[in-house]
Amino acid sequence: MVAAIGLGLWSGYRHLDQPQAMAAFVQAGILAGFLGLGAVVWLWFTLDQRLVRPLMALPGAMRGRAHANLAQPIALADAGTLGDLLPAANDLVEALRQTRHALSYAVERETQRLSEGNARLEALLADVPVGVLMCSGDHLLAFYNAQAVDLMGAGTNSPGLGRPLFDYLREGPVRHAYERLVATGDGDAASTLLCTTRDGARVLSARMRLRTNAQGFGQGYVLTLRDVTTDLAAHARREGFLAEVFDRIRRPAATLSTMVQAMDHGDGTPTRFNHVMRAEVAHLVQSLAELSGRHDVEQTEGWHLQMTRASDLGEGLRARMEADGLDVTLTAQDLYLRCNGFEVIALVAGLAEEMALVGLASQFEVRMAEDGAGAMIQLVWQGEPLSMARLSQWLTKPLELGFGDVSRKSVLGFHGTEMWPIADRAGRQALCLPILHARRAVTRPEAIRRAVVYDFDLLSKARAAKVQDAALVDLTYVVFDTETTGLLPDQGDEIVQIAAVRIVNGRRIEGEVFDTLVNPRRGIPAASTAVHGITDAMVQDAPGLEDVAARFHKFAEGAVLVAHNVPFDMAFLRRVEGAIGRRFDNPILDTVLLSAVIYGQQEVHTLDALTHRLGITIPEEARHTAIGDTIATADAMLKLLPILKGQGLATFGQVLSAVRRHGRLLKDLNAPDVP
């Protein structure tokens, strides 16, 4: 345009043939040029703001509705120049929403019964008294229940979906058992094995069975676990005790046997025989007394007995006595007693029946009260006293409850206790049975959520050899966020809180969470506390960053790290790599860059703006907390993944290539040769 104006003025000047008019023509040309350039700039700016930018934002917004199931209408700033295009796009969005709603209603109605069955199965598996695992053929976890978490580890080293079983159990026994079962060719075969946790602290009795499917077996296995550490230790103590008994009795017995044979043959003198026999008999008596004492100590420690609630024991005793026609009242403190409840009920009820048969009493009060470190069970009645001689006679009788030849006296010995009768000043009689170990019942803590965690698709999912070739939905992600003392890690600011969650097979696993405060070993400025609410007092007893970073490194092992503005968070973590002896060399994705890939660099890419576009609400109390922002980022990531796939970015490598085109916005932290 400017060139055309200049050419026209120059042509007019040539035809005018007046040299003095040259200056006027030049001034007019310059003025016209500036006016033309201004018009071009204004037109470009207007088209960019009113047409180009809305058109660039529209595909990302439409893909969000198509692939991330967003329901809200598309709203674009300065979209008036699009004419009827935006209303037409919203009509498509509404039609898609209604179709999805109708489809989801039909699917929900048809699958409700199946969901209820799954819920009942989950509740059942959550409460089974053993740990249950299901693993793929390459020993990756696809299912675990809460008992398995208790057995294999807790905290940041607790089991996680898609993680190797051998992070928690020693490899050899499990791998060998699996190979043996596969080699049998028998889908019904099972194998029992002993294995230990990685730290060797627990010995677990395990049973393995191959997982069967329509194609046969060998595509994974089910493993049940039971802690036998205490059982094995108790067995070892008993075996050691018996071995010592035989060893200490064997020599005196052999000596006495030899002497008897010598006496039969008339060898030796009576005086010598008498001296040796006395010494051996004394040694034998001493050994038996010592061993018997040790056995009594083992019995009184009560390691073999379970804790039974006093009220439950009392109700069972009352039911048994009332079945025998006796009148019973119960007074029991809120205690737990270490005893064999069935034997104690049979013992006390049997003695009450004996008293009723001889006419001593038929109405009783059962009392259970704290007594020092133990408890006292009293059977109280009004009437004639019970003599110790008669009680001793009754204690020699069998228990008469399907216990074979077990006597009432042996029940007392098994519990390391005795029984005796007493009388009080009011003339009431009582039969006393002390229980050596008891404790008060405390207020029940808040119930621990006993959940099962599973994703059966992990059992048959093919895995890419390289991260770049892996489909986005097949990758495991650890989404994290930090709160800090400030914004300058290279000038002494430190982390005060870090939180993370895991995304496996396209869903966030609620039970797999990392969340901890961190002691920054410096003061937290008031301005930072005003943002995240963390004070010096809150982090005073928290672990240091070296300990937390090492545990977080383990939590994130084998996963893609995801954060919003990840260079900021990684700058803090990479400062401690030398101190912990580990590198954070995980593949990395930044939701800021992913947002730019989908919506364009012209949009705002803060976490608030991104979650708003994706229809995610961050509760006010959770904003600027590490766990709150982490969950919001993870939910955003889950919505971004199908949108990226809709753009043709299905693998990590494809996304990485697209992300690197936005290097002016944020630096990509992945190494150039990501595996």
Side-chain angles (χ1 to χ4, degrees):
M1 178 184 291
V2 175
I5 293 174
L7 182 62
L9 289 173
W10 180 80
S11 177
Y13 168 73
R14 290 290 302 272
H15 285 85
L16 187 62
D17 196 24
Q18 295 182 4
Q20 64 274 18
M22 182 63 181
F25 273 95
V26 170
Q27 291 177 0
I30 293 173
L31 180 60
F34 275 111
L35 289 175
L37 181 62
V40 170
V41 171
W42 175 83
L43 181 61
W44 174 85
F45 180 78
T46 301
L47 289 176
D48 180 68
Q49 293 293 318
R50 303 295 299 276
L51 182 63
V52 176
R53 286 177 180 262
L55 284 175
M56 291 178 66
L58 186 59
M62 293 186 68
R63 285 195 178 95
R65 274 71 182 169
H67 301 291
N69 202 21
L70 304 182
Q72 66 267 34
I74 300 173
L76 300 176
D78 297 323
T81 55
L82 296 182
D84 199 40
L85 182 59
L86 183 59
N90 278 322
D91 288 344
L92 286 175
V93 169
E94 178 62 19
L96 179 61
R97 187 192 67 80
Q98 292 180 3
T99 302
R100 279 177 172 165
H101 178 73
L103 179 61
S104 63
Y105 176 76
V107 172
E108 181 180 359
R109 183 183 58 192
E110 294 299 326
T111 59
Q112 182 176 2
R113 185 168 58 88
L114 180 59
S115 298
E116 292 174 353
N118 287 342
R120 287 193 292 268
L121 179 60
E122 288 183 22
L124 175 64
L125 290 173
D127 289 332
V128 295
V130 296
V132 181
L133 306 172
M134 186 174 290
C135 299
S136 64
D138 49 357
H139 307 285
L140 300 181
L141 288 172
F143 173 100
Y144 61 86
N145 65 352
Q147 287 74 10
V149 175
D150 295 338
L151 291 174
M152 295 197 300
T156 56
N157 197 38
S158 61
L161 289 182
R163 301 190 69 171
L165 174 65
F166 304 136
D167 282 355
Y168 316 102
L169 300 181
R170 294 290 179 88
E171 179 174 349
V174 177
R175 187 179 293 278
H176 294 158
Y178 180 65
E179 291 172 353
R180 286 197 306 270
L181 287 178
V182 173
T184 63
D186 183 359
D188 294 327
S191 177
T192 58
L193 61 143
L194 278 179
C195 56
T196 62
T197 53
R198 289 285 298 179
D199 58 5
R202 285 181 171 173
V203 180
L204 306 176
S205 174
R207 181 176 177 83
M208 180 186 292
R209 184 180 292 277
L210 295 180
R211 185 181 71 91
T212 58
N213 54 29
Q215 289 74 39
F217 65 93
Q219 302 300 315
Y221 54 91
V222 177
L223 196 67
T224 56
L225 303 172
R226 184 171 61 88
D227 190 356
V228 294
T229 308
T230 303
D231 296 344
L232 292 177
H235 179 73
R237 288 201 307 271
R238 289 196 297 271
E239 290 298 312
F241 179 75
L242 289 174
E244 186 177 351
V245 168
F246 293 135
D247 182 65
R248 295 179 64 173
I249 292 177
R250 186 181 293 113
R251 188 180 63 80
T255 301
L256 291 174
S257 176
T258 302
M259 292 182 64
V260 169
Q261 293 177 6
M263 291 176 64
D264 290 341
H265 291 83
D267 299 333
T269 62
T271 303
R272 180 187 173 194
F273 280 139
N274 185 51
H275 175 74
V276 175
M277 288 182 67
R278 286 178 180 276
E280 293 298 335
V281 169
H283 177 71
L284 185 60
V285 170
Q286 181 183 357
S287 295
L288 288 174
E290 182 182 338
L291 293 170
S292 177
R294 285 170 54 188
H295 179 262
D296 291 341
V297 170
E298 288 279 343
Q299 292 290 89
T300 57
E301 286 180 353
W303 56 266
H304 52 293
L305 299 171
Q306 300 294 322
M307 297 299 286
T308 303
R309 196 158 195 142
S311 57
D312 296 340
L313 185 67
E315 290 296 336
L317 180 57
R318 176 160 62 182
R320 170 71 188 277
M321 293 173 65
E322 288 178 347
D324 293 334
L326 304 177
D327 188 8
V328 186
T329 58
L330 174 65
T331 304
Q333 292 182 353
D334 201 5
L335 302 172
Y336 280 99
L337 282 57
R338 188 176 293 281
C339 64
N340 185 319
F342 295 107
E343 291 186 353
V344 170
I345 289 173
L347 172 64
V348 176
L351 294 175
E353 186 179 359
E354 295 280 8
M355 285 189 278
L357 290 175
V358 299
L360 284 180
S362 60
Q363 295 182 337
F364 297 91
E365 179 186 0
V366 176
R367 299 175 182 170
M368 299 183 184
E370 190 175 13
D371 184 33
M376 181 67 73
I377 300 176
Q378 289 186 327
L379 185 64
V380 182
W381 71 94
Q382 189 80 34
E384 295 295 322
L386 172 63
S387 68
M388 193 66 199
R390 177 174 279 179
L391 174 61
S392 299
Q393 179 186 359
W394 289 346
L395 289 176
T396 61
K397 293 184 178 182
L399 203 55
E400 298 179 347
L401 192 66
F403 287 91
D405 296 330
V406 175
S407 67
R408 293 166 177 163
K409 183 71 174 178
S410 65
V411 173
L412 297 179
F414 188 66
H415 288 78
T417 188
E418 296 288 343
M419 292 187 78
W420 61 85
I422 61 170
D424 63 14
R425 296 179 180 178
R428 289 174 298 188
Q429 311 297 323
L431 187 59
C432 300
L433 172 61
I435 301 297
L436 300 183
H437 300 279
R439 64 173 175 83
R440 296 178 184 178
V442 296
T443 303
R444 182 179 179 87
E446 183 179 351
I448 299 174
R449 185 171 180 264
R450 311 298 288 182
V452 297
V453 183
Y454 63 93
D455 191 327
F456 295 132
D457 289 340
L458 296 173
L459 292 170
S460 55
K461 185 177 291 294
R463 294 169 178 84
K466 294 183 178 181
V467 174
Q468 280 195 336
D469 299 331
L472 292 176
V473 72
D474 291 342
L475 291 170
T476 296
Y477 302 92
V478 167
V479 186
F480 75 104
D481 184 59
T482 62
E483 299 297 335
T484 64
T485 60
L487 304 177
L488 303 172
D490 56 342
Q491 296 184 24
D493 281 320
E494 298 287 349
I495 292 175
V496 296
Q497 186 182 30
I498 183 169
V501 298
R502 295 182 81 236
I503 294 176
V504 181
N505 206 25
R507 68 185 183 98
R508 176 164 58 88
I509 310 302
E510 292 188 7
E512 299 179 10
V513 178
F514 185 100
D515 185 16
T516 181
L517 293 171
V518 182
N519 188 336
R521 300 189 180 96
R522 55 154 289 178
I524 303 176
S528 298
T529 298
V531 175
H532 49 57
I534 299 173
T535 64
D536 291 330
M538 293 170 62
V539 299
Q540 182 176 357
D541 298 323
L545 182 57
E546 292 81 6
D547 175 60
V548 171
R551 291 190 285 123
F552 176 69
H553 185 278
K554 182 64 178 177
F555 183 82
E557 190 174 42
V560 177
L561 288 176
V562 179
H564 197 79
N565 189 17
V566 74
F568 175 78
D569 302 287
M570 292 303 299
F572 289 94
L573 294 176
R574 285 182 169 162
R575 286 170 53 198
V576 296
E577 288 180 332
I580 67 176
R582 302 178 181 120
R583 293 185 60 226
F584 287 94
D585 53 2
N586 309 56
I588 294 174
L589 287 177
D590 193 325
T591 48
V592 173
L593 295 176
L594 297 181
S595 177
V597 168
I598 294 172
Y599 298 107
Q601 289 194 27
Q602 75 282 353
E603 292 292 337
V604 178
H605 300 294
T606 63
L607 183 59
D608 288 320
L610 177 60
T611 53
H612 176 73
R613 276 196 294 269
L614 295 174
I616 299 169
T617 301
I618 308 177
E620 186 62 32
E621 64 276 9
R623 186 68 176 102
H624 292 300
T625 66
I627 189 63
D629 288 354
T630 293
I631 291 175
T633 304
D635 290 346
M637 183 68 182
L638 289 172
K639 288 184 176 292
L640 292 174
L641 290 176
I643 301 176
L644 290 168
K645 185 177 180 181
Q647 284 188 227
L649 306 175
T651 68
F652 184 84
Q654 291 171 335
V655 170
L656 199 58
S657 298
V659 160
R660 285 172 173 165
R661 290 197 291 269
H662 297 271
R664 290 179 299 173
L665 188 64
L666 271 182
K667 180 183 178 182
D668 171 49
L669 297 185
N670 290 283
D673 55 344
V674 173

